Amino acid sequence: KGQLTNGKYILDEAGMQPHMNGDFTNDKSQFLFGVDAYKATLDAAEYADVHELWNSKNGKATVPITNGNVGVTGRTGQLTNYINVYRTKTVVVPGRPANPPTTKN
């Protein structure tokens, strides 16, 4: 159908657009210019599979990116090297730059 895929997941390009337009309205995080956000999201979904990071309740995974920052968080405006990916039952995934996960003590 002309949609990007890695063979397992289909990219939700429309769902990612609010995080790729440079507009921080409504605290939307933004991918950095020069980052291939689509590839990074598909790679993050695959990483989440391998490392069993998916939350079974909401289909979300927070994935660390090891080769540099991918975006800026919406609320705090901080550079981040994390991506939140969300999978549906139909294996469609959007992604967005994310805050680092919080640790519970």
Side-chain angles (χ1 to χ4, degrees), residues 40 43-45 47-48 53-54 61-65 70 81-85 98 101:
D43 289 350
Y47 184 96
L53 298 178
W54 294 108
T62 300
V63 178
I65 305 303
V70 293
N81 64 330
Y82 285 88
I83 295 177
N84 279 344
V85 286

Side-chain angles (χ1 to χ4, degrees), residues 13-35:
E13 293 179 56
M16 292 179 61
Q17 286 308 308
H19 301 282
M20 298 176 65
N21 62 12
D23 184 359
F24 285 94
T25 304
N26 299 320
D27 294 330
K28 296 288 184 190
S29 60
Q30 296 293 311
F31 281 99
L32 296 172
F33 294 111
V35 170

